[in-house]
Amino acid sequence: RNLKESIQDGVSYMGHFLEKLSPLGRGLQPRLYQDSAGLRKAIRTELDSLRQKLSPYVDEVHQQVGKQLDELRQQLQPYTEELLDQVSLRARELRRHLVPSREVTAQLLDGADELQRFMAHYADKIAFHTDQVKDIFHPYAERLLTEIHRNVEELHRSVAPHARASPEQLNQHIQELSAKLTRNARDLHQQIQKNLEQLKAKLSLYPGSLGGPAAPPGRSREALAREVQRRVEEFRRDTYAQIQAFTRALDQETEEMRLKLSARPDPPEEPLDATPPPLEDLRARLDALWRDLALSLSERGG
């Protein structure tokens, strides 16, 4: 929702809130003192709910912290996009290297010995190219981890002047964010390596089916080509999904951090058995609250 709609919602909510308290203005002051604890709690609940609804739009701290966290996501986005590009590129290379050429058909026509030699050679070929792709992805994992640490440190410096949390709380929140993002990046790297291991295992099993005497060599080559295409596409699709899940987790972690860093400290609880304020004092406080909200909304909304 845009800012205009949010301001309208805030004004409507405040009007609804004041309606809830309207009995106070109709000569019902005895009720205030009969259930002062319950009324205090109800008022506090309504004010907290109102503050949560309006704070994203009238709160400079919230905006500044959100801006810094958006920059963190933007700094990491090129690395996840590059990983997606690399997955597509390496999948194409694996298909090109592992789909048997038409020359294989002629080799298989020479009999069982040629078939056995082809199978042994093909198993080595599968292992070589999948291990090569695994090695290619290692530097990307290290670069992603390095960027996470660098950008989280920059985030710490940037939000320190704006965060409402104490320095100790801020350090704790930032360390938690760094640990979560680091763990997610390492898990993603391990998932990619695991996907390649599974691809190698599945392709290595398949050439054994070429030994069936009923299958002509040409048909065997075509079947193997289809299997390579299917398995490599499976690897690409699964790895894509895992990288996208990492990106969604990044968005979720930064959103949770935004809420933590921009949250107002909880106000001290008033003792429930304290003497309730005079009705006039309560109405004066509500009038002052409304004036502050109206001023903030007019400043933000023009």
Side-chain angles (χ1 to χ4, degrees):
R1 298 181 302 181
N2 59 32
L3 179 60
K4 180 179 178 182
E5 293 171 339
S6 302
I7 292 173
Q8 291 172 344
D9 286 349
V11 172
S12 298
Y13 187 87
M14 188 61 187
H16 180 59
F17 169 57
L18 292 177
E19 286 178 5
K20 292 182 180 181
L21 299 179
S22 61
L24 297 177
R26 296 202 293 265
L28 299 180
Q29 184 162 351
R31 183 180 302 175
L32 171 63
Y33 292 95
Q34 290 171 7
D35 188 19
S36 59
L39 184 57
R40 281 174 183 274
K41 186 175 181 180
I43 291 174
R44 186 179 298 128
T45 300
E46 293 294 338
L47 290 176
D48 288 343
S49 179
L50 175 63
R51 183 184 297 115
Q52 291 175 8
K53 286 178 178 291
L54 296 182
S55 63
Y57 308 99
V58 302
D59 193 337
E60 184 69 21
V61 173
H62 188 101
Q63 294 177 5
Q64 288 293 334
V65 170
K67 177 182 176 182
Q68 299 300 330
L69 287 163
D70 285 342
E71 290 182 359
L72 169 64
R73 287 197 293 262
Q74 292 170 8
Q75 290 293 328
L76 296 180
Q77 183 178 355
Y79 293 88
T80 54
E81 290 177 348
E82 189 174 8
L83 269 177
L84 291 172
D85 291 341
Q86 282 295 318
V87 170
S88 294
L89 173 62
R90 302 309 164 185
R92 288 196 300 271
E93 290 183 349
L94 285 170
R95 284 193 292 266
R96 179 166 56 84
H97 289 302
L98 298 180
V99 170
S101 64
R102 295 191 177 275
E103 287 75 10
V104 170
T105 303
Q107 295 174 3
L108 298 180
L109 288 172
D110 292 336
D113 291 342
E114 284 299 324
L115 179 59
Q116 292 298 324
R117 278 194 290 272
F118 164 76
M119 290 170 57
H121 171 71
Y122 191 72
D124 291 340
K125 195 173 184 180
I126 291 170
F128 173 79
H129 288 292
T130 52
D131 288 346
Q132 188 178 55
V133 173
K134 287 176 65 176
D135 292 338
I136 288 172
F137 276 107
H138 273 291
Y140 289 96
E142 293 302 322
R143 287 171 57 191
L144 182 58
L145 288 171
T146 299
E147 283 302 307
I148 286 174
H149 295 154
R150 186 179 69 81
N151 281 281
V152 168
E153 289 176 1
E154 179 62 29
L155 172 69
H156 195 173
R157 290 191 294 269
S158 300
V159 303
H162 307 290
R164 288 197 172 96
S166 66
E168 293 77 14
Q169 290 175 323
L170 177 60
N171 288 337
Q172 180 181 351
H173 293 329
I174 293 296
Q175 289 173 6
E176 288 175 358
L177 177 63
S178 179
K180 288 179 180 178
L181 296 184
T182 298
R183 182 172 62 251
N184 290 345
R186 286 177 175 160
D187 288 346
L188 175 61
H189 175 64
Q190 291 173 359
Q191 288 169 343
I192 294 174
Q193 301 293 302
K194 182 180 178 181
N195 292 346
L196 286 164
E197 280 294 327
Q198 291 176 343
L199 175 64
K200 178 168 67 173
K202 291 173 182 177
L203 291 179
S204 298
L205 290 174
Y206 188 77
S209 65
L210 294 177
R219 189 174 301 171
S220 297
R221 184 191 68 81
E222 293 171 1
L224 179 56
R226 287 194 300 271
E227 182 70 5
V228 170
Q229 297 278 5
R230 185 170 72 89
R231 294 300 185 182
V232 172
E233 174 58 21
E234 186 179 83
F235 157 76
R236 187 202 64 79
R237 184 179 62 248
D238 291 347
T239 307
Y240 251 58
Q242 289 158 356
I243 295 173
Q244 290 165 343
F246 170 82
T247 303
R248 288 192 298 272
L250 171 63
D251 293 341
Q252 180 180 347
E253 297 294 348
T254 52
E255 175 63 16
E256 290 177 0
M257 184 59 54
R258 180 182 64 80
L259 295 175
K260 288 180 180 179
L261 295 181
S262 58
R264 295 178 184 273
D266 293 333
E269 289 286 338
E270 298 180 14
L272 295 179
D273 57 352
T275 302
L279 178 60
E280 294 76 11
D281 187 28
L282 176 61
R283 294 186 64 85
R285 293 185 190 184
L286 290 173
D287 288 341
L289 170 66
W290 173 245
R291 286 195 299 272
D292 290 344
L293 286 171
L295 178 61
S296 297
L297 287 169
S298 64
E299 290 175 349
R300 296 296 174 195

